[in-house]
């Protein structure tokens, strides 16, 4: 029983007048429990609500006979499907002969053959046509195109609801291409509504870099929980959404970065040596000693004509300084009697840490940023 029914009935109104406030509250709570859309109906008259925006987009597509697409994003349980169901219910009452709703779920129909077969099945069921389980992918695709054309000529819009939309968007996406191609017909009238709880932020390489940096320093569950707690604490309360900046702020808050502190006191020559070592690692060069670093350093200078080029003895002192700072170390303890120029060395700083250190270094040469981006 909806709230509107309760308030419009004289008998119920008279009865509630005789009830105590507690009893009235009990009736109100029961009505909300019985009608899952009750809470959303409160916002149906607000022009700024998601209900109003979604209804406007779909109804405009109906009245203007045009194709459209909508993507509903949000965490599970926030009411995406409930709002959509409320909108579709209202539109079906307003335009009973102009809407045909097809519902798919990525958990069940992400395979393109399965998706087209399910569309054909629902279209046949709604239009009282005979459905063939043996129809091929091409047959179902052609049937969908013909139904879009026929419904368009009859001024009827097909609304495709794709729940778990991110699962349809994986792989070759053959089904989505088939659907969008079918909508290109002049007479077709269709609306595609995608629903997903997946943040697209996860596809951003910058976000992946943050996660890599986090896991490199500490991959325990407790560390991840502290990171997520800090991220939520930095959330913009006005928008109610998590942004990439929130994750960056959380990372800088919880992560101890002693190596980045050491990098701030390095000379530009020492930064060049670290970048040269990182480039040798990227090239998978087995022998990485001072002589190999000097060859890479000279190669950079000859290629880009850098102004920061120093004599070999100066570079050797910078190299030894990095050993003292423990930003690099010898591969093993063997070869104590061997000259430091010939002993293999390894980096003790990760690529994300070095990249972040270069970005925060006030006078870091631009060429070093470009070299790191190129090897990334």
């Amino acid at each position: 029983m909806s709230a509107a029914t309760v308030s419009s009935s004289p008998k119920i109104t008279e009865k509630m007048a005789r009830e105590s406030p507690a009893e009235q509250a009990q009736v109100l709570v029961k009505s909300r429990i019985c009608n899952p859309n009750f809470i959303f109906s409160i916002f149906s008259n607000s022009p700024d609500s998601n209900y109003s925006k979604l209804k406007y987009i779909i109804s405009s597509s109906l009245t203007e006979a045009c194709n459209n697409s909508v993507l509903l994003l949000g965490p599970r349980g926030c009411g995406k499907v409930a709002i959509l169901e409320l909108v579709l219910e209202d539109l079906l009452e307003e335009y009973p002969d102009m809407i045909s709703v097809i519902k798919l779920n990525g958990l069940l129909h992400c395979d393109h053959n399965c998706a087209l077969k399910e569309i054909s099945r629902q279209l046949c069921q709604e239009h009282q046509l005979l459905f063939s389980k043996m129809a091929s992918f091409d047959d179902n695709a052609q049937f969908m195109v013909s139904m879009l054309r026929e419904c368009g000529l009859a001024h009827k819009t097909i609304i495709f609801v794709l729940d778990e939309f991110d699962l349809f968007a994986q792989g070759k996406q053959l089904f989505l291409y088939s659907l969008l191609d079918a909508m290109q017909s002049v007479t077709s009238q269709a609306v595609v509504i995608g629903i997903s709880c997946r943040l697209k932020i996860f596809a951003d390489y910058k976000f992946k870099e943050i996660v890599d940096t986090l896991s490199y320093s500490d991959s325990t569950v407790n560390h991840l929980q502290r990171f997520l707690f800090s991220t939520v604490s930095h959330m913009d309360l006005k928008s109610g959404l998590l942004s990439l900046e929130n994750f960056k702020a959380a990372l800088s808050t919880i992560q101890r970065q002693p190596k980045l502190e050491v990098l701030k006191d390095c000379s530009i020559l020492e930064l060049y040596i670290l970048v040269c070592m990182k480039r040798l690692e990227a090239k998978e060069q087995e022998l990485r000693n001072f002589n190999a670093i000097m060859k890479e350093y000279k190669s950079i200078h000859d290629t880009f004509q850098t102004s920061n080029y120093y004599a070999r003895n100066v570079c050797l002192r910078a190299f030894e300084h990095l050993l003292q700072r423990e930003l690099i170390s010898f591969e093993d303890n063997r070869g104590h009697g061997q000259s430091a120029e010939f002993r293999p060395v390894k980096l003790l700083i990760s690529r994300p840490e070095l990249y972040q250190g270069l970005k925060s270094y006030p006078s870091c040469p631009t060429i070093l940023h470009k070299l790191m981006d190129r090897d990334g």
Side-chain angles (χ1 to χ4, degrees), residues 265-317:
D265 298 326
C266 286
S267 66
I268 291 178
L269 175 57
E270 290 166 355
L271 296 182
Y272 266 97
I273 293 175
L274 292 173
V275 171
C276 287
M277 288 190 65
K278 184 56 65 177
R279 284 170 61 83
L280 292 176
E281 280 189 356
K283 294 176 182 179
E284 297 183 352
Q285 183 168 326
E286 294 183 4
L287 183 60
R288 293 192 292 270
N289 57 19
F290 177 75
N291 290 331
I293 294 170
M294 285 300 95
K295 288 181 182 179
E296 185 67 25
Y297 179 49
K298 187 177 186 304
S299 174
I300 293 174
H301 172 70
D302 293 341
T303 303
F304 300 100
Q305 293 298 307
T306 61
S307 59
N308 301 292
Y309 192 71
Y310 299 88
R312 183 181 178 86
N313 61 331
V314 178
C315 294
L316 182 58
R317 287 200 299 271

Side-chain angles (χ1 to χ4, degrees), residues 213-214 217 223 250-257 260 353 356:
T213 303
L214 179 76
S217 60
H223 187 60
L251 183 64
S252 62
T253 300
I254 71 163
Q255 191 178 42
R256 292 183 65 251
Q257 300 170 316
L260 295 185
E353 287 176 318
Q356 188 175 349

Side-chain angles (χ1 to χ4, degrees), residues 11-262:
K11 292 183 179 179
I12 294 180
T13 304
E14 183 180 349
K15 180 182 177 182
M16 289 186 67
R18 298 194 301 267
E19 293 174 341
S20 67
E23 291 173 326
Q24 294 180 24
Q26 186 182 47
V27 172
L28 184 62
V29 171
K30 287 181 178 179
S31 66
R32 291 187 179 186
I33 294 174
C34 294
N35 180 13
N37 291 326
F38 177 87
I39 189 171
F40 300 105
S41 63
I42 298 175
F43 305 106
S44 61
N45 295 324
S46 172
D48 296 327
S49 67
N50 290 327
Y51 166 88
S52 300
K53 293 176 182 177
L54 183 60
K55 185 176 181 181
Y56 173 77
I57 292 174
I58 301 177
S59 60
S60 297
S61 302
L62 294 173
T63 55
E64 297 174 12
C66 63
N67 296 332
N68 214 332
S69 59
V70 184
L71 185 59
L72 304 181
L73 294 175
R76 295 192 187 279
C78 70
K80 302 183 297 297
V81 175
I83 285 289
L84 176 60
E85 292 293 341
L86 187 61
V87 169
L88 292 178
E89 181 181 343
D90 291 348
L91 290 177
L92 284 169
E93 290 183 4
E94 296 178 26
Y95 309 98
D97 300 322
M98 294 178 60
I99 299 178
S100 179
V101 181
I102 304 297
K103 296 181 179 180
L104 301 178
N105 190 299
L107 294 172
L108 301 174
H109 313 115
C110 61
D111 177 75
H112 55 272
N113 287 312
C114 181
L116 282 179
K117 182 174 290 188
E118 180 61 18
I119 288 176
S120 298
R121 187 192 69 79
Q122 293 187 35
L123 286 172
C124 288
Q125 184 179 29
E126 182 163 345
H127 295 85
Q128 299 180 348
L129 300 174
L130 183 62
F131 170 67
S132 173
K133 294 182 179 180
M134 303 303 294
S136 65
F137 174 82
D138 292 334
D139 292 336
N140 287 324
Q142 189 174 2
F143 176 71
M144 180 178 67
V145 173
S146 62
M147 288 301 297
L148 279 169
R149 182 174 59 252
E150 293 298 324
C151 288
L153 292 173
H155 303 292
K156 190 169 187 176
T157 298
I158 299 180
I159 299 177
F160 295 93
V161 179
L162 308 182
D163 203 355
E164 305 290 347
F165 179 79
D166 51 286
L167 298 180
F168 289 101
Q170 295 178 357
K172 296 182 179 179
Q173 306 178 19
L174 186 57
F175 164 67
L176 291 181
Y177 285 126
S178 300
L179 179 58
L180 295 176
D181 286 342
M183 291 172 60
Q184 300 306 311
S185 171
V186 177
T187 58
S188 69
Q189 292 178 213
V191 177
V192 177
I193 302 175
I195 305 173
S196 178
C197 64
R198 180 177 179 179
L199 300 176
K200 298 314 175 182
I201 191 172
F202 293 115
D204 193 327
Y205 79 95
K206 293 182 179 179
F207 177 79
K208 291 180 179 179
E209 196 171 70
I210 291 174
V211 175
D212 289 341
T213 303
L214 179 76
S215 59
Y216 181 85
S217 60
D218 188 344
S219 59
T220 63
V221 174
N222 287 337
H223 187 60
L224 176 62
Q225 287 178 329
R226 289 194 299 270
F227 170 68
L228 294 176
F229 184 87
S230 180
T231 302
V232 174
S233 300
H234 285 88
M235 183 177 68
D236 182 3
L237 298 180
K238 292 183 179 179
S239 66
L241 300 175
L242 289 174
S243 67
L244 187 65
E245 296 303 319
N246 299 146
F247 288 94
K248 287 182 180 179
L251 183 64
S252 62
T253 300
I254 71 163
Q255 191 178 42
R256 292 183 65 251
Q257 300 170 316
K259 292 178 183 177
L260 295 185
E261 294 299 321
V262 175

